[in-house]
Structures are given as C-alpha cells and as structure tokens.
Amino acid sequence: MAQHVVDKKPIGCIDAGRWNNIQNAYDSDLNSYATCKAYSDCWLNFDFALPSDATVNSLTLKFKASGGTTLQPRLANKNKDQSSFYENISVGTSVADYSWVPNLDKIVAESKLGFANKVALINGLVTRLRWTTSSKTVNLYNVYVTLDYTLPEYSVAVSAGAGGTVSGGGTYESGTSVTIKAIPNSGYKFVKWSDGNTSATRTVTVTGNATYTAEFASLAAYVTYDSIFNLLSWRKYGITGSNATVS
C-alpha cells in the first residue's frame, strides 16, 4: 500500500455568479482567491480523480482569512445538496490560518449528497464556505484541500512463449499506466497476447493483479497459398533448384 498526501486548489465555483462574487481575484503573489463579498456563499469545485479502490484517510480544508465574521464550511455536491455537518469558525479581523477536518464517514452515511463511499465523495467534491455575519466582507487567502489517501499495489506479470522475450512486468500502484512489450527472436514473429491484443507494444492500466503471455510463431510456418501455387507451377515447367523461390 502506498500512501499519498496531496494539496489541491479549487478550480472554480459551482456557478459563474458565485465565482464573480469572489471577484475571480487570483493573486499570484499570495497564491490566493481574495475578497469574498458580503451577502455571499462560495461553492468551490475541486478536481480529484481517485481510483475506485483507493482508501481515503482524511481530508482537511485549509485557508487564511480575515474580516471579523463567522464561516460555516460544508461539503456539497454539484447539485448544491449539502451535508448537515459543518463547523462554525470565527474569523478575526487580522489574517490568520484556519482549517476544518470533516467527518467523511458521517457525511457518506448521511446520504444527502448521494455518494456511496468516501472515494465517490472526494471525486465529486464541492466545498461550500458560508459566512453567517452577512453584513461583513470576508477575505479568503490560500484556500486549498489536503487529502491523505492510500492506493493498493498490484502485480503485472508478463511472460513469453517459445520464440521471444517480454518486458514491463512488476508491481505497480492502482491506476498506473504500464507499458509491456513483446520482442520476437530472429526467425519468429509476434502473434498476440493472451487476452487477444495484437499490439506487440501496448499500455495497460493497472486495476488489479494481471498476467499477460506473449505468443510467437516461427516465420518458417508462414507459407502463403500463392507461394505454394507458384512453386507447383514452376515445377510443372521444369523450373527447380536455385531458380525456384518461395516468397
């Protein structure tokens, strides 16, 4: 099992009006989405794409803020269905760091968002940031999510039949793209893999333990009908020996 801890910035808002409400102000120096106007909610979209067999350990929403108001972070889906679970976070007048760790198990069990498990929840993640003191403006900086998750590892076994060699086997994380290759020996040609694929070099996506066997055939066995017909025709007219060629 391989553990990953990644940070993700929001890629946009659930609707253009809300995105405009935070002025679409990306500050490259502060690495921030700044100045969310009063009387507003903000629904931030993320673009996680975890494999279905990932194990989600934790999710943390992190941000800097100021404005002297109260934020209520929630998780929601893209239909604006939102979880009942949230936390009141009091934001001071000076910029400071804040974070929220939602209970993902409870949110999935609540079923309001329609996600069957934590992986589906993460992949469909929208975070709603609501400020309850609506008469004030809140300044948000460095909004991002830290996700801690684990991916299983699987074996990709490649083997060769008579007449060639293979490469590309090993142990890989779920979701990894792996290139496997079948190399025929002199006098042989590649025919197919054991799953019917006929590309000697191919890329497979790891989703579980898998075995691929390359099949080869001797070139001497490939004599076409036309070649046999021509040879018989030549012999009929007395053309033999070095003058007769099978192609």
Side-chain angles (χ1 to χ4, degrees), residues 97-109:
D97 292 305
Y98 300 92
S99 65
W100 176 55
V101 181
N103 188 317
L104 301 179
D105 291 306
K106 284 187 176 181
I107 292 173
V108 169

Side-chain angles (χ1 to χ4, degrees), residues 216-234:
F216 302 92
S218 172
L219 290 174
Y222 283 81
V223 180
T224 67
Y225 173 84
D226 288 341
S227 296
I228 296 173
F229 179 80
N230 290 337
L231 178 59
L232 293 176
S233 297
W234 293 332

Side-chain angles (χ1 to χ4, degrees), residues 226-247:
D226 288 341
S227 296
I228 296 173
F229 179 80
N230 290 337
L231 178 59
L232 293 176
S233 297
W234 293 332
R235 284 180 176 173
K236 177 181 178 181
Y237 293 102
I239 303 173
T240 60
S242 60
N243 293 323
T245 303
V246 178
S247 60

Side-chain angles (χ1 to χ4, degrees), residues 29-97:
D29 294 325
L30 289 176
N31 194 24
S32 65
Y33 294 88
T35 311
C36 301
K37 292 182 180 179
Y39 303 102
S40 299
D41 290 349
C42 180
W43 307 72
L44 297 176
N45 288 329
F46 294 84
D47 63 345
F48 287 103
L50 296 181
S52 60
D53 52 2
T55 299
V56 177
N57 302 316
S58 67
L59 177 145
T60 305
L61 174 67
K62 300 178 180 179
F63 56 94
K64 294 180 182 292
S66 65
T69 185
T70 300
L71 291 181
Q72 284 185 345
R74 299 173 185 248
L75 298 189
N77 63 25
K78 290 178 173 62
N79 295 323
K80 296 187 180 179
D81 302 314
Q82 56 188 311
S83 170
S84 299
F85 298 99
Y86 63 89
E87 180 179 343
N88 287 316
I89 298 178
S90 296
V91 175
T93 56
S94 300
V95 176
D97 292 305

